[in-house]
Amino acid sequence: DAVPAAAAEKLSVSESRKWLNGSGSITVTYEGHTDEEITVKAKASSAVTVTVGDWDDNRCIINLTPKKDKNTSLTVTVGEESVTVRLYMLREKERTGEELYEYMKKAMVEIHCTDSVGQVYIGSGFFIGNGLVLTNHHVVEAASEITILDYYDNEYPVKKIYGMDADKDLILIKVSGSNSGALTIADSVTGGERIYNMGSPAGLTGSFVTGLVANDGYPIDGTDYIQLSMPTGIGSGGGPIVNSKGRVLGVMTLVVNAAQNITMAVDCGEISAFLNSLTSKDRMSMSAFFKTTAIDTKFGVIIFVVVFSVDDGEIFNDG
């Protein structure tokens, strides 16, 4: 969402609250831009490096690199209009398990879904921005009602679907309320690196597990996955897989039925491509979305089982 400045007519910014784990950026838009100068001032200037790009039509990219683990604010001024962005910053560095646990629990969510015949099931997800929850499409694909709760049992009313891709098993949900944390997407994944997940397997909220990247590239039906070696369970689907710096390498998706502690996650490159492709045309009201998830009960209750077959005969089940 472009967030307009208070009482401004032309100035808006892509995010009014920005979580940074390492470098990131925000986009400034100034309608009808001609030769107006853009200035950026950080309240804690020693905590962040700010680089202002060139205007591209009415838009300008501001790149941000944290120098400290610190929360601060950024004021952007164009012409006579200003807007303030709140920054929640971490330097990109290796973190302990204890640090990652505290970091991830502020961003994780548990998703309770009720389908049109009254069956209730649980999935996982996580915040990637202000009021933006990323999860698996299969977690909500049969839902007629969705309740999203954070680690602290705060509820976030669902407002809208911002975009979905059933083939990549990803969906972005807009909720009301102010989340206390959000995760950032990694640029790449390396085989053998240490990974962490927080989700709700079997409804056990906030379960924190660790493992390794067993295979950094595994294509299934045209989507790139990473293979993981870590314990999981039904209900973990949609949860984040992060590296030791806390950046998201993938979204937990599939469980290998024929093996123990082997799972699959949608690769970070697929996640970034999905998020970057979304426009306002992809948004959908919840009433419109729920029309696509209704179960036809004319012949009784239908039980949905999602399976994926691969060439070597292994069978994958949704996580």
Side-chain angles (χ1 to χ4, degrees):
D1 267 342
V3 181
E9 296 180 356
K10 301 179 179 180
L11 179 63
S12 62
V13 65
S14 55
E15 298 168 87
S16 61
R17 301 169 72 212
K18 178 72 175 180
W19 283 265
L20 294 167
N21 183 350
S23 299
S25 65
I26 57 173
T27 301
V28 175
T29 301
Y30 190 80
E31 296 299 332
H33 167 71
T34 53
D35 59 353
E36 287 84 1
E37 182 181 358
I38 181 170
T39 61
V40 182
K41 183 177 181 181
K43 187 174 182 180
S45 57
S46 63
V48 58
T49 298
V50 179
T51 304
V52 180
D54 296 327
W55 285 103
D56 181 5
D57 194 12
N58 295 328
R59 295 189 173 190
C60 178
I61 303 295
I62 299 175
N63 293 303
L64 307 165
T65 302
K67 294 189 287 185
K68 298 179 181 179
D69 295 351
K70 187 177 180 64
N71 299 338
T72 188
S73 60
L74 196 72
T75 301
V76 180
T77 302
V78 182
E80 297 180 353
E81 299 178 5
S82 297
V83 63
T84 299
V85 178
R86 184 68 178 167
L87 300 179
Y88 306 86
M89 304 189 302
L90 290 179
R91 293 166 294 160
E92 186 174 0
K93 71 168 192 175
E94 301 289 322
R95 306 274 169 179
T96 66
E98 292 87 350
E99 289 174 324
L100 290 170
Y101 179 86
E102 293 299 318
Y103 176 58
M104 293 180 71
K105 74 181 186 181
K106 295 178 181 178
M108 73 148 289
V109 299
E110 185 172 282
I111 302 174
H112 294 232
C113 297
T114 304
D115 65 24
S116 57
V117 296
Q119 183 175 352
V120 179
Y121 52 96
I122 292 175
S124 302
F126 57 101
F127 284 104
I128 61 165
N130 187 26
L132 293 174
V133 171
L134 185 65
T135 187
N136 286 145
H137 179 266
H138 82 252
V139 168
V140 298
E141 68 177 340
S144 62
E145 181 180 334
I146 300 172
T147 301
I148 294 181
L149 305 168
D150 67 11
Y151 179 92
Y152 308 96
D153 209 33
N154 298 309
E155 183 175 345
Y156 297 83
V158 177
K159 292 179 63 178
K160 189 174 290 188
I161 301 299
Y162 265 28
M164 59 184 178
D165 188 327
D167 292 334
K168 296 185 185 300
D169 200 13
L170 295 172
I171 189 167
L172 185 63
I173 303 172
K174 176 66 174 176
V175 301
S176 299
S178 297
N179 44 294
S180 59
L183 303 180
T184 57
I185 312 302
D187 297 321
S188 62
V189 56
T190 303
E193 66 178 308
R194 173 66 61 180
I195 52 175
Y196 302 83
N197 166 254
M198 183 174 280
S200 297
L204 298 175
T205 306
S207 294
F208 184 63
V209 296
T210 187
L212 300 172
V213 174
N215 189 325
D216 61 5
Y218 203 116
I220 302 175
D221 295 336
T223 296
D224 289 332
Y225 291 80
I226 55 174
Q227 179 186 337
L228 317 173
S229 176
M230 64 166 27
T232 186
I234 300 299
S236 293
I241 304 299
V242 307
N243 59 19
S244 57
K245 297 177 181 179
R247 295 175 68 90
V248 177
L249 299 178
V251 176
M252 178 78 81
T253 302
L254 309 175
V255 178
V256 180
N257 291 334
Q260 293 183 336
N261 297 338
I262 295 180
T263 54
M264 295 285 176
V266 180
D267 175 83
C268 55
E270 298 279 16
I271 298 169
S272 293
F274 165 69
L275 295 174
N276 292 335
S277 72
L278 298 180
T279 70
S280 58
K281 295 180 180 179
D282 295 299
R283 298 179 185 179
M284 181 185 298
S285 69
M286 294 311 299
S287 59
F289 174 71
F290 288 140
K291 288 180 181 178
T292 72
T293 66
I295 299 174
D296 185 353
T297 59
K298 182 169 59 176
F299 299 106
V301 176
I302 299 173
I303 300 175
F304 289 89
V305 178
V306 181
V307 296
F308 296 78
S309 299
V310 293
D311 292 340
D312 58 6
E314 292 175 314
I315 301 297
F316 294 88
N317 187 339
D318 68 82

